[in-house]
Amino acid sequence: MKTYDVAVIGSGLVGLSTAYELAKKGRKVALIDSLGLSAGASSANTSLLLFEGVTRGMIFDLCVESIESYANMAEELGGDVGFETAKMICYIKNEENFAEARRMSDFYVENGFEYDVVDDSTLHKLEPELNMEGMLGALYFTQWKMDPLRVVYAYFTRAREYGMDWYPHNKAIGFRKNNERILGVITEKGTIQAEQYVVATGAWTRELMLTLNIDIPEYYIQGAALVAERGGISLNNVIYQFEPTRVRMEQRSGELAMELGWENIPKLVASEFVILQDSHGNLVSAQSSMVTPEIVNAVPPEFLRDMAANIKLHFPKFGVCKVIRSWICPIPFVPDGKPFFGFVRPYNNLLLASGFASVLIMTPILGKLASSLLEGERISYDLSSFDPCRFEKVV
Amino acid sequence: MDDATIICRCEDVTYGEVKKAIVSGLLIPGDIRKYTRAGMGSCQGRTCQRLLMQMLKEYSDSCEIAEDTINIRTPIQPISITELSVWDSEINEKE
């Protein structure tokens, strides 16, 4: 039987960037996925690379380094990945949020970002079609975006060129192991053996790790979006509402999951508004989202209706645009807001790399860090606060 | 057909681009769609889906082509934002 240097489970951006870095170094890599290429949140997102919610510290530094990698990615991977700056308008509808938004803008200004609080007339100049009714003002600032599908496909094709083997539609259902090492990953189509293993399964992480009797509290919010055909519309900016209902729902569901168990949490629903034009000119709007343990494959009709009504409210002229598709996808989160990144005790050859709230912005650096950890190289960050075993909840 | 033949006319995707994607290991129509954009345009694959399936059979050395299980994508037909914004579940159930 073929033995690999590394078996990477999960073909999302974290798994792909890790597999790519290892294959580039000449390692024999197997990439395994239960579905197709990047079937989770890595390919179903709004393409934005945001520092939002990131406070000063290691995660901030990792994001800065990652943005530099994105800037060099077209050259590194040999193809345009749609990386560019994104002009953001974050509008505010109540006084309480205004105070919070000002604190946020102070933080970003201190850290060298261009950030402005703008009034109605400036807002109108920035985005003429926006219906400003009920808006108190807005934040105007610069972040970044890329084309997630192009990034995924670029990592994938380069890694394949470096000899990576690809096992799609091959669900990992457990591990062969002894007391300190993983000996193989058992899949629906047979066992795959490697010296080292990476679990980068996003929203599916908890399910897989439970087969080792380790309960990793990585849960998910299912976020929906719709896409309208291009033509006849033009947006200058990414527009979203400063109303952190989804973040609050995430916090609440994390607490409920720890208290009642994930399988027993009641269904929660949240609605926010974000709209942008993607790199192909299509209108993308998100997101109605919900928390429920069952993974849903189709967007509930009432979500589609609410998202459409939100577009109509903010941009009456876009009412004639035709919606052509929608998606809903589980987006992972961890109750303490930190990722899982490190070896999983007692297994010294099993690296968990998952649970990144801001995964898009951090992807390139994560692949590099994961490959360095597996190679036993020294890294310049202290990742101990990301320890996968920090919740120490053995079933 | 040669590599320059357009397979998806909405998004201008060629036979050669789709062939390359299949050979690299994309084995379901949903993945070909996401990563080559064939079927991502206004018709959402209603025109090119059969060609893609044919190409999958021809160029994939995998004996099984996995079913596209995750891509249930509403709406079935393009619908304007205005029409969608007034969708009423009760009326729809009665109809």
Side-chain angles (χ1 to χ4, degrees):
Chain A
M1 189 191 279
K2 191 169 179 178
T3 296
Y4 290 95
D5 292 321
V6 184
V8 178
I9 308 162
S11 68
L13 279 166
V14 177
L16 275 170
S17 59
T18 306
Y20 162 77
E21 294 291 342
L22 290 164
K24 193 174 84 169
K25 288 179 180 170
R27 301 290 169 264
K28 274 163 60 188
V29 180
L31 181 66
I32 305 162
D33 203 293
S34 62
L35 300 163
L37 184 62
S38 282
S42 293
S43 72
N45 58 67
T46 52
S47 78
L48 297 169
L49 306 171
L50 306 175
F51 276 76
E52 192 178 337
V54 175
T55 47
R56 192 87 206 158
M58 186 172 59
I59 293 184
F60 190 94
D61 298 339
L62 287 166
C63 288
V64 171
E65 202 176 328
S66 233
I67 286 291
E68 285 164 14
S69 298
Y70 268 115
N72 298 322
M73 197 178 275
E75 197 184 336
E76 165 89 26
L77 299 179
D80 180 16
V81 293
F83 176 75
E84 59 182 328
T85 55
K87 294 285 180 195
M88 312 285 297
I89 288 177
C90 169
Y91 66 83
I92 298 154
K93 283 197 162 173
N94 70 50
E95 290 292 347
E96 191 190 332
N97 286 347
F98 215 94
E100 205 176 321
R102 275 195 186 278
R103 277 196 297 277
M104 198 171 96
S105 77
D106 290 346
F107 170 78
Y108 285 106
V109 170
E110 276 166 30
N111 287 292
F113 288 86
E114 286 174 37
Y115 232 95
D116 270 327
V117 180
V118 296
D119 60 14
D120 282 13
S121 65
T122 316
L123 192 53
H124 181 69
K125 275 182 212 138
L126 292 169
E127 201 60 69
E129 302 295 344
L130 177 64
N131 170 18
M132 297 188 299
E133 207 179 305
M135 292 182 188
L136 294 178
L139 298 173
Y140 178 59
F141 57 105
T142 303
Q143 299 276 276
W144 294 267
K145 62 180 175 177
M146 48 74 166
D147 183 333
L149 302 180
R150 280 198 239 168
V151 173
V152 165
Y153 195 42
Y155 270 127
F156 176 73
T157 45
R158 291 299 91 74
R160 291 284 277 159
E161 283 162 16
Y162 283 122
M164 177 189 80
D165 280 351
W166 165 230
Y167 296 88
H169 316 289
N170 201 9
K171 189 176 169 68
I173 49 176
F175 296 92
R176 281 183 47 226
K177 61 184 191 294
N178 64 20
N179 289 338
E180 55 181 26
R181 288 183 73 76
I182 300 293
L183 305 173
V185 51
I186 304 164
T187 76
E188 286 173 341
K189 296 176 187 169
T191 300
I192 295 167
Q193 289 182 344
E195 294 296 321
Q196 294 177 304
Y197 300 83
V198 179
V199 170
T201 40
W204 291 268
T205 298
R206 183 166 172 267
E207 181 190 337
L208 179 60
M209 294 304 288
L210 279 173
T211 67
L212 287 169
N213 293 327
I214 299 170
D215 190 345
I216 298 288
E218 180 167 353
Y219 309 118
Y220 40 83
I221 281 186
Q222 305 192 59
L226 63 75
V227 180
E229 67 187 349
R230 58 175 167 250
I233 54 147
S234 137
L235 271 176
N236 303 327
N237 305 280
V238 177
I239 293 120
Y240 72 106
Q241 185 176 359
F242 190 94
E243 178 65 68
T245 49
R246 193 184 58 79
V247 176
R248 280 189 211 120
M249 181 172 76
E250 189 176 293
Q251 282 163 354
R252 181 76 192 121
S253 56
E255 287 160 15
L256 285 169
M258 298 302 254
E259 197 183 310
L260 309 170
W262 176 244
E263 284 71 22
N264 304 318
I265 55 165
K267 184 175 169 181
L268 303 172
V269 176
S271 176
E272 284 184 346
F273 181 67
V274 55
I275 191 164
L276 58 101
Q277 206 165 5
D278 74 9
S279 58
H280 303 278
N282 297 93
L283 203 62
V284 178
S285 184
Q287 72 194 47
S288 291
S289 52
M290 64 176 167
V291 173
T292 162
E294 315 85 78
I295 291 181
V296 179
N297 284 333
V299 181
E302 64 274 19
F303 277 18
L304 283 174
R305 178 197 58 208
D306 294 349
M307 289 189 286
N310 244 333
I311 298 172
K312 186 97 195 296
L313 173 70
H314 291 83
F315 291 93
K317 280 199 177 165
F318 293 173
V320 293
C321 295
K322 294 218 160 143
V323 175
I324 54 175
R325 65 175 171 273
S326 62
W327 76 71
I328 185 159
C329 177
I331 304 153
F333 73 92
V334 180
D336 68 359
K338 286 181 186 155
F340 293 116
F341 197 86
F343 288 98
V344 182
R345 291 188 295 274
Y347 307 105
N348 58 20
N349 65 340
L350 176 64
L351 182 77
L352 179 59
S354 200
F356 298 90
S358 307
V359 64
L360 290 177
I361 191 169
M362 293 219 277
T363 298
I365 187 71
L366 293 176
K368 285 175 192 161
L369 288 175
S371 76
S372 296
L373 277 178
L374 292 164
E375 301 274 293
E377 292 164 8
R378 255 184 66 85
I379 54 174
S380 51
Y381 294 97
D382 173 13
L383 300 172
S384 55
S385 62
F386 298 167
D387 180 4
C389 305
R390 64 184 179 273
F391 290 86
E392 284 293 321
K393 203 177 153 195
V394 176
V395 187
Chain B
M1 281 200 266
D2 59 44
D3 280 0
T5 306
I6 300 283
I7 290 288
C8 164
R9 61 189 185 196
C10 299
E11 295 283 324
D12 284 349
V13 185
T14 65
Y15 189 82
E17 287 169 281
V18 174
K19 187 167 79 182
K20 195 176 145 208
I22 296 170
V23 172
S24 80
L26 301 190
L27 301 180
I28 54 173
D31 278 4
I32 293 169
R33 178 165 138 155
K34 280 199 297 201
Y35 301 109
T36 68
R37 291 192 70 79
M40 284 279 249
S42 296
C43 89
Q44 288 293 290
R46 277 172 279 274
T47 313
C48 61
Q49 185 89 356
R50 285 184 182 187
L51 281 169
L52 294 180
M53 291 304 288
Q54 250 178 322
M55 288 186 69
L56 267 168
K57 290 228 165 76
E58 193 174 343
Y59 291 108
S60 155
D61 55 7
S62 167
C63 53
E64 42 166 346
I65 292 170
E67 272 181 51
D68 225 340
T69 49
I70 202 158
N71 283 311
I72 306 161
R73 300 283 196 105
T74 41
I76 308 286
Q77 283 188 346
I79 174 172
S80 78
I81 285 169
T82 301
E83 284 173 285
L84 192 57
S85 70
V86 293
W87 178 81
D88 183 326
S89 59
E90 282 173 25
I91 292 172
N92 269 267
E93 272 158 29
K94 275 175 207 158
E95 280 173 356

